[in-house]
Amino acid sequence: GAVVSQHPSWVICKSGTSVKIECRSLDFQATTMFWYRQFPKQSLMLMATSNEGSKATYEQGVEKDKFLINHASLTLSTLTVTSAHPEDSSFYICSASIAGAKYEQYFGPGTRLTVT
Amino acid sequence: TQLLEQSPQFLSIQEGENLTVYCNSSSVFSSLQWYRQEPGEGPVLLVTVVTGGEVKKLKRLTFQFGDARKDSSLHITAAQPGDTGLYLCAGARGTYKYIFGTGTRLKVLA
């Protein structure tokens, strides 16, 4: 149980275009989802916290107009990278917390974004 | 700003050796987790510690949460090549929001 999926697993896009990444909790309801970014050989950096039905909370330094997050249901959150640039190329990972489970979060497999 | 510093950053050891990875902060955390991540995959949770001084064991892995809940350690006994990976600690400042450490890349040679 507690499986989180991400789609796509990898994507290549041209500079200036927008890309949408989906994060789904497959067998549980996630009231809270988190989006992380990971550069090669580095740790995970939290970008934003997403609660179902409300606006996402962004970490300091993360542009909310560039990284649009929508958490429309208890099983789906999306991250849209708008007007992507090569410096946005990274590994994007989401995680989901089960409602009522105080400390647990389950990670998706990640999405590799390459902007050319 | 990285709140959680891990040491060492890189570690290459022979199979059968023991090792300890440290996770340090000046902040107090309500809970702390350890993860292992393989290349191109998401992190996999190893353990969650919530009480100061708590020690948890997972086969050859021993995790300890500092008394003041500011630091933690991961000790691996008799390391095996399958232990190779990126080890990450993550501390929670609230109930759900975790901040990740700088990471320790471990390579165990056969």
Side-chain angles (χ1 to χ4, degrees), chain A residues 11-20 65-67 79-86 88-89 113-116:
Chain A
V11 57
I12 301 173
C13 72
K14 291 188 176 180
S15 188
T17 62
S18 296
V19 174
K20 180 185 285 188
D65 294 332
K66 180 169 185 60
F67 298 99
L79 167 67
T80 301
V81 183
T82 63
S83 187
H85 289 99
D88 299 324
S89 298
L113 169 63
T114 301
V115 185
T116 61

Side-chain angles (χ1 to χ4, degrees), chain B residues 52-109:
Chain B
E54 182 176 3
V55 176
K56 281 192 174 180
K57 292 193 174 185
L58 181 65
K59 296 183 180 178
R60 294 177 293 101
L61 278 61
T62 302
F63 307 86
Q64 183 163 10
F65 201 10
D67 291 341
R69 291 185 288 131
K70 293 182 179 181
D71 53 78
S72 180
S73 64
L74 157 61
H75 183 79
I76 301 179
T77 304
Q80 299 176 0
D83 296 327
T84 293
L86 176 66
Y87 287 82
L88 298 160
C89 64
R93 292 180 289 179
T95 302
Y96 300 111
K97 182 176 170 179
Y98 282 87
I99 303 299
F100 278 79
T102 49
T104 295
R105 197 165 296 275
L106 171 66
K107 187 169 185 178
V108 182
L109 304 170

Side-chain angles (χ1 to χ4, degrees), chain A residues 32 34 36 38 41-46 49 59 91 93 97-105 107-110 112, chain B residues 1-2 30-31 33 35 37 40-43 45 48 50 86 88 90 93 95-103 105:
Chain A
T32 305
F34 301 90
Y36 295 85
Q38 185 176 32
K41 300 189 185 300
Q42 294 188 22
S43 185
L44 279 70
M45 296 299 293
L46 180 65
T49 303
E59 293 298 299
F91 193 50
I93 308 174
S97 290
I98 297 176
K102 198 172 183 181
Y103 304 109
E104 304 299 322
Q105 59 172 334
F107 282 84
R112 169 86 48 202
Chain B
T1 303
Q2 195 63 263
S30 55
S31 64
Q33 298 182 324
Y35 293 82
Q37 184 182 24
E41 299 179 10
L45 178 66
T48 302
V50 300
L86 176 66
L88 298 160
R93 292 180 289 179
T95 302
Y96 300 111
K97 182 176 170 179
Y98 282 87
I99 303 299
F100 278 79
T102 49
R105 197 165 296 275

